Amino acid sequence: MDKNAFVSPIPTINFTSMPTGMIARTPSGSTLTVANTNGTLSIITSGTVSFTFSTKNNGAFPTALITHVNGYAYSGGGQTSWAYYWFIPGVTINTCTRYTTPTPPPVPPIEEIIPPEPAFSLKSAVWELDTADVGNVPDVAAAGNSYQASIKNLESNNLCVSYVTKGVKNQRYALGVSNGVIVQGGRRLFMMNGAAGGLLFYKLSLTSNDGVVANNFDFPAAAAKYITLSQAASGVANRSEMCWTPRINLFRNASTNAGMHTDTLNFIITPQA
Protein backbone atom coordinates (compact mmCIF):
# COMPACT_ATOMS: atom_id res chain seq x y z
CA MET A 1 0.00 0.00 0.00
CA ASP A 2 1.10 3.59 -0.64
CA LYS A 3 2.20 4.90 2.75
CA ASN A 4 0.70 8.32 1.91
CA ALA A 5 -2.78 7.01 1.16
CA PHE A 6 -5.70 6.78 3.56
CA VAL A 7 -8.03 3.80 3.57
CA SER A 8 -11.71 4.45 2.95
CA PRO A 9 -13.80 3.12 4.52
CA ILE A 10 -11.63 2.78 7.58
CA PRO A 11 -11.45 -0.60 9.37
CA THR A 12 -13.70 -1.31 12.33
CA ILE A 13 -12.26 0.44 15.39
CA ASN A 14 -12.93 -1.00 18.83
CA PHE A 15 -12.57 1.54 21.63
CA THR A 16 -11.39 -0.09 24.84
CA SER A 17 -11.42 3.12 26.87
CA MET A 18 -12.89 6.60 26.42
CA PRO A 19 -13.05 9.58 28.80
CA THR A 20 -16.41 10.23 30.39
CA GLY A 21 -18.60 12.41 28.23
CA MET A 22 -16.92 11.50 24.94
CA ILE A 23 -18.07 9.27 22.09
CA ALA A 24 -16.87 8.19 18.66
CA ARG A 25 -19.08 9.19 15.79
CA THR A 26 -19.89 7.04 12.79
CA PRO A 27 -16.88 7.01 10.43
CA SER A 28 -17.04 9.17 7.33
CA GLY A 29 -14.73 8.08 4.53
CA SER A 30 -11.27 7.63 5.99
CA THR A 31 -12.00 9.73 9.09
CA LEU A 32 -13.50 8.99 12.48
CA THR A 33 -14.39 11.88 14.79
CA VAL A 34 -14.27 11.78 18.59
CA ALA A 35 -16.61 14.32 20.18
CA ASN A 36 -18.61 15.12 23.29
CA THR A 37 -21.79 13.21 23.95
CA ASN A 38 -23.75 16.45 23.49
CA GLY A 39 -22.63 16.52 19.86
CA THR A 40 -20.16 19.39 20.05
CA LEU A 41 -16.59 19.00 18.85
CA SER A 42 -15.15 21.10 21.67
CA ILE A 43 -13.43 18.59 23.94
CA ILE A 44 -13.58 19.87 27.50
CA THR A 45 -12.59 16.75 29.33
CA SER A 46 -9.36 14.82 29.65
CA GLY A 47 -8.37 11.18 29.79
CA THR A 48 -7.10 8.29 27.71
CA VAL A 49 -8.54 7.06 24.45
CA SER A 50 -7.56 3.47 23.68
CA PHE A 51 -8.58 1.57 20.58
CA THR A 52 -7.69 -1.40 18.41
CA PHE A 53 -8.18 -2.16 14.74
CA SER A 54 -7.16 -4.90 12.34
CA THR A 55 -5.06 -4.51 9.18
CA LYS A 56 -5.85 -7.99 7.89
CA ASN A 57 -7.00 -8.03 4.26
CA ASN A 58 -8.27 -4.45 4.33
CA GLY A 59 -5.31 -2.47 2.97
CA ALA A 60 -4.90 -0.50 6.18
CA PHE A 61 -1.50 0.71 7.29
CA PRO A 62 -0.74 -0.16 10.95
CA THR A 63 -0.69 3.45 12.14
CA ALA A 64 -3.18 6.06 13.27
CA LEU A 65 -3.11 9.73 12.29
CA ILE A 66 -4.72 11.99 14.88
CA THR A 67 -5.67 15.50 13.76
CA HIS A 68 -6.10 18.08 16.51
CA VAL A 69 -7.61 21.51 15.84
CA ASN A 70 -7.24 24.48 18.16
CA GLY A 71 -9.62 27.35 17.47
CA TYR A 72 -10.56 30.46 19.37
CA ALA A 73 -12.31 33.74 18.64
CA TYR A 74 -11.30 37.23 19.62
CA SER A 75 -12.45 40.75 18.89
CA GLY A 76 -12.16 41.35 15.18
CA GLY A 77 -11.48 37.77 14.09
CA GLY A 78 -10.34 34.32 15.12
CA GLN A 79 -7.51 31.87 14.74
CA THR A 80 -7.17 28.17 14.08
CA SER A 81 -4.10 25.96 14.39
CA TRP A 82 -3.67 22.35 13.35
CA ALA A 83 -1.45 19.57 14.59
CA TYR A 84 -0.97 16.02 13.37
CA TYR A 85 0.02 13.14 15.61
CA TRP A 86 1.29 9.81 14.33
CA PHE A 87 0.86 6.70 16.47
CA ILE A 88 3.13 4.05 14.98
CA PRO A 89 3.68 0.63 16.64
CA GLY A 90 7.30 0.13 17.64
CA VAL A 91 8.22 3.68 16.61
CA THR A 92 6.16 6.03 18.78
CA ILE A 93 6.24 4.15 22.08
CA ASN A 94 4.26 5.52 25.04
CA THR A 95 3.91 8.81 23.21
CA CYS A 96 3.21 10.19 19.76
CA THR A 97 4.99 12.29 17.18
CA ARG A 98 3.59 15.78 16.63
CA TYR A 99 3.80 17.69 13.37
CA THR A 100 2.49 21.16 12.54
CA THR A 101 3.07 21.04 8.81
CA PRO A 102 0.13 21.91 6.50
CA THR A 103 -0.15 18.25 5.49
CA PRO A 104 0.69 15.13 7.47
CA PRO A 105 4.15 13.72 6.73
CA PRO A 106 4.58 10.16 5.41
CA VAL A 107 4.97 7.32 7.86
CA PRO A 108 7.95 4.93 7.76
CA PRO A 109 7.93 2.14 5.17
CA ILE A 110 5.79 -0.82 6.20
CA GLU A 111 8.83 -3.11 6.42
CA GLU A 112 10.24 -0.91 9.18
CA ILE A 113 7.06 -1.26 11.23
CA ILE A 114 6.34 -4.92 10.51
CA PRO A 115 9.53 -6.48 9.10
CA PRO A 116 8.97 -9.42 6.74
CA GLU A 117 10.27 -12.85 7.68
CA PRO A 118 13.96 -13.26 6.68
CA ALA A 119 13.18 -16.67 5.10
CA PHE A 120 16.76 -17.89 5.47
CA SER A 121 18.05 -20.39 2.93
CA LEU A 122 21.34 -22.22 3.50
CA LYS A 123 23.17 -23.52 0.47
CA SER A 124 24.37 -27.09 1.04
CA ALA A 125 28.10 -27.62 0.74
CA VAL A 126 30.22 -30.77 0.60
CA TRP A 127 33.70 -30.31 1.99
CA GLU A 128 35.77 -33.18 0.68
CA LEU A 129 39.30 -33.13 2.01
CA ASP A 130 42.36 -34.12 0.03
CA THR A 131 44.13 -37.22 1.28
CA ALA A 132 46.36 -36.57 4.28
CA ASP A 133 48.97 -38.82 5.85
CA VAL A 134 47.86 -39.66 9.40
CA GLY A 135 51.45 -39.25 10.49
CA ASN A 136 51.36 -35.59 9.50
CA VAL A 137 48.36 -34.85 11.68
CA PRO A 138 49.40 -33.67 15.18
CA ASP A 139 48.28 -35.59 18.24
CA VAL A 140 45.51 -33.70 19.99
CA ALA A 141 47.25 -34.04 23.35
CA ALA A 142 50.48 -32.46 22.13
CA ALA A 143 51.17 -28.76 22.24
CA GLY A 144 51.41 -26.99 18.91
CA ASN A 145 49.44 -26.26 15.81
CA SER A 146 46.94 -28.42 13.97
CA TYR A 147 47.11 -29.77 10.42
CA GLN A 148 45.33 -27.54 7.88
CA ALA A 149 43.47 -29.76 5.47
CA SER A 150 43.12 -28.97 1.78
CA ILE A 151 39.48 -28.81 0.60
CA LYS A 152 38.61 -29.92 -2.92
CA ASN A 153 36.63 -27.54 -5.18
CA LEU A 154 36.75 -24.91 -2.48
CA GLU A 155 35.46 -22.00 -4.56
CA SER A 156 32.26 -23.85 -5.50
CA ASN A 157 31.68 -25.12 -1.97
CA ASN A 158 31.54 -21.96 0.10
CA LEU A 159 28.97 -21.77 2.86
CA CYS A 160 26.28 -19.32 1.68
CA VAL A 161 23.17 -17.99 3.39
CA SER A 162 20.49 -16.03 1.51
CA TYR A 163 17.59 -14.12 3.03
CA VAL A 164 14.96 -11.44 2.45
CA THR A 165 16.90 -8.17 2.55
CA LYS A 166 14.28 -6.11 4.36
CA GLY A 167 13.73 -8.93 6.84
CA VAL A 168 17.15 -8.52 8.49
CA LYS A 169 17.21 -4.74 8.77
CA ASN A 170 17.91 -3.40 12.27
CA GLN A 171 18.70 -6.89 13.55
CA ARG A 172 21.87 -8.87 14.25
CA TYR A 173 22.26 -12.62 13.84
CA ALA A 174 24.58 -15.34 15.03
CA LEU A 175 25.70 -18.25 12.88
CA GLY A 176 26.07 -21.37 14.99
CA VAL A 177 26.64 -25.11 14.81
CA SER A 178 24.40 -27.47 16.77
CA ASN A 179 26.75 -30.49 16.67
CA GLY A 180 28.09 -31.88 19.89
CA VAL A 181 31.53 -30.74 21.04
CA ILE A 182 34.28 -32.91 22.52
CA VAL A 183 37.16 -31.59 24.62
CA GLN A 184 40.52 -33.17 23.82
CA GLY A 185 43.90 -31.88 24.96
CA GLY A 186 42.20 -28.79 26.35
CA ARG A 187 40.74 -28.00 22.93
CA ARG A 188 37.04 -27.80 21.99
CA LEU A 189 36.65 -29.81 18.80
CA PHE A 190 34.26 -31.59 16.49
CA MET A 191 34.98 -35.15 15.44
CA MET A 192 34.73 -37.27 12.31
CA ASN A 193 33.96 -40.96 12.56
CA GLY A 194 36.24 -43.41 10.81
CA ALA A 195 36.57 -47.16 10.39
CA ALA A 196 36.67 -49.47 13.44
CA GLY A 197 35.64 -46.70 15.81
CA GLY A 198 38.51 -44.43 14.87
CA LEU A 199 38.11 -40.68 15.40
CA LEU A 200 39.57 -37.64 13.65
CA PHE A 201 39.16 -34.31 15.45
CA TYR A 202 38.78 -30.95 13.78
CA LYS A 203 37.87 -27.30 14.12
CA LEU A 204 36.25 -25.08 11.50
CA SER A 205 36.99 -21.48 10.57
CA LEU A 206 34.75 -19.48 8.24
CA THR A 207 36.24 -16.42 6.55
CA SER A 208 33.67 -13.94 5.28
CA ASN A 209 33.94 -13.32 1.56
CA ASP A 210 33.14 -9.65 2.09
CA GLY A 211 36.59 -9.16 3.64
CA VAL A 212 35.20 -7.90 6.95
CA VAL A 213 37.14 -9.61 9.73
CA ALA A 214 34.32 -9.00 12.21
CA ASN A 215 32.11 -11.30 10.11
CA ASN A 216 34.44 -14.31 10.44
CA PHE A 217 33.51 -17.30 12.62
CA ASP A 218 35.43 -20.02 14.43
CA PHE A 219 33.78 -23.27 15.55
CA PRO A 220 33.26 -24.79 18.00
CA ALA A 221 32.50 -21.44 19.60
CA ALA A 222 32.32 -20.85 23.32
CA ALA A 223 29.68 -18.13 22.88
CA ALA A 224 27.38 -16.81 20.18
CA LYS A 225 28.81 -14.14 17.90
CA TYR A 226 26.31 -11.73 16.37
CA ILE A 227 26.91 -9.82 13.16
CA THR A 228 25.00 -7.46 10.90
CA LEU A 229 24.09 -9.30 7.72
CA SER A 230 24.84 -7.68 4.39
CA GLN A 231 21.93 -5.98 2.62
CA ALA A 232 23.66 -5.80 -0.75
CA ALA A 233 21.64 -6.89 -3.77
CA SER A 234 22.11 -10.44 -5.00
CA GLY A 235 21.08 -12.25 -8.15
CA VAL A 236 17.61 -12.84 -6.67
CA ALA A 237 15.12 -9.99 -6.36
CA ASN A 238 14.57 -8.67 -2.81
CA ARG A 239 17.13 -11.07 -1.35
CA SER A 240 20.72 -10.69 -0.16
CA GLU A 241 23.42 -13.28 0.42
CA MET A 242 26.51 -13.77 2.53
CA CYS A 243 29.16 -16.42 1.91
CA TRP A 244 32.10 -17.78 3.87
CA THR A 245 35.18 -19.75 2.81
CA PRO A 246 35.82 -22.73 5.11
CA ARG A 247 39.10 -23.84 6.62
CA ILE A 248 39.36 -27.17 8.46
CA ASN A 249 42.18 -28.01 10.85
CA LEU A 250 42.77 -31.59 12.00
CA PHE A 251 44.03 -33.45 15.09
CA ARG A 252 44.33 -37.17 15.77
CA ASN A 253 44.60 -39.41 18.81
CA ALA A 254 45.50 -43.05 19.39
CA SER A 255 42.20 -44.22 17.89
CA THR A 256 42.73 -42.49 14.54
CA ASN A 257 43.23 -44.98 11.70
CA ALA A 258 43.92 -44.60 8.01
CA GLY A 259 40.81 -44.50 5.86
CA MET A 260 37.71 -42.39 5.27
CA HIS A 261 36.37 -40.17 8.08
CA THR A 262 33.06 -38.29 7.81
CA ASP A 263 30.84 -35.88 9.70
CA THR A 264 27.82 -33.65 9.01
CA LEU A 265 27.64 -30.14 10.43
CA ASN A 266 24.25 -28.60 11.24
CA PHE A 267 24.20 -24.82 11.04
CA ILE A 268 21.67 -22.61 12.78
CA ILE A 269 20.94 -18.86 12.54
CA THR A 270 19.77 -17.07 15.68
CA PRO A 271 18.59 -13.45 16.03
CA GLN A 272 19.97 -11.37 18.88
CA ALA A 273 17.43 -10.93 21.64
Side-chain angles (χ1 to χ4, degrees):
M1 166 185 174
D2 184 342
K3 63 184 178 183
N4 295 304
F6 295 97
V7 174
S8 179
I10 63 175
T12 299
I13 296 180
N14 298 306
F15 287 88
T16 55
S17 68
M18 183 80 76
T20 302
M22 292 180 61
I23 60 172
R25 291 183 172 181
T26 302
S28 174
S30 59
T31 303
L32 184 146
T33 302
V34 175
N36 291 318
T37 53
N38 62 11
T40 67
L41 297 180
S42 298
I43 299 175
I44 57 176
T45 185
S46 63
T48 300
V49 177
S50 301
F51 58 90
T52 63
F53 64 94
S54 173
T55 60
K56 185 177 181 180
N57 301 324
N58 58 20
F61 202 80
T63 65
L65 173 65
I66 311 299
T67 304
H68 173 241
V69 182
N70 287 324
Y72 60 91
Y74 58 89
S75 178
Q79 185 171 340
T80 300
S81 63
W82 294 73
Y84 301 98
Y85 298 85
W86 279 120
F87 290 84
I88 306 171
V91 178
T92 55
I93 302 173
N94 297 325
T95 183
C96 58
T97 302
R98 182 176 186 267
Y99 297 92
T100 56
T101 54
T103 57
V107 295
I110 183 65
E111 62 270 9
E112 292 186 11
I113 299 175
I114 305 179
E117 288 296 322
F120 288 107
S121 177
L122 179 66
K123 174 186 174 183
S124 296
V126 177
W127 297 329
E128 182 179 353
L129 308 184
D130 284 326
T131 301
D133 190 321
V134 174
N136 292 332
V137 178
D139 190 288
V140 72
N145 297 325
S146 57
Y147 175 86
Q148 183 173 333
S150 176
I151 303 174
K152 296 180 179 179
N153 302 317
L154 183 59
E155 291 185 0
S156 59
N157 278 291
N158 283 185
L159 180 72
C160 295
V161 177
S162 70
Y163 41 87
V164 175
T165 305
K166 293 179 179 179
V168 301
K169 190 174 183 180
N170 302 322
Q171 180 61 281
R172 289 164 61 83
Y173 293 87
L175 183 64
V177 177
S178 62
N179 294 54
V181 176
I182 188 170
V183 178
Q184 291 281 306
R187 299 179 173 96
R188 291 167 50 86
L189 301 166
F190 299 123
M191 60 183 182
M192 303 183 201
N193 295 300
L199 298 175
L200 186 61
F201 305 97
Y202 70 100
K203 58 183 180 180
L204 170 69
S205 296
L206 295 175
T207 301
S208 179
N209 290 2
D210 62 9
V212 179
V213 175
N215 293 338
N216 297 345
F217 290 93
D218 292 296
F219 300 110
K225 177 182 178 180
Y226 295 92
I227 67 171
T228 300
L229 298 178
S230 169
Q231 296 182 39
S234 68
V236 180
N238 303 318
R239 294 184 69 87
S240 297
E241 182 180 72
M242 286 191 71
C243 294
W244 292 265
T245 299
R247 185 178 74 248
I248 295 175
N249 292 73
L250 305 175
F251 295 94
R252 63 174 173 84
N253 68 2
S255 75
T256 307
N257 300 314
M260 181 72 71
H261 292 73
T262 61
D263 189 26
T264 299
L265 287 174
N266 302 300
F267 289 93
I268 55 176
I269 300 172
T270 307
Q272 189 170 22

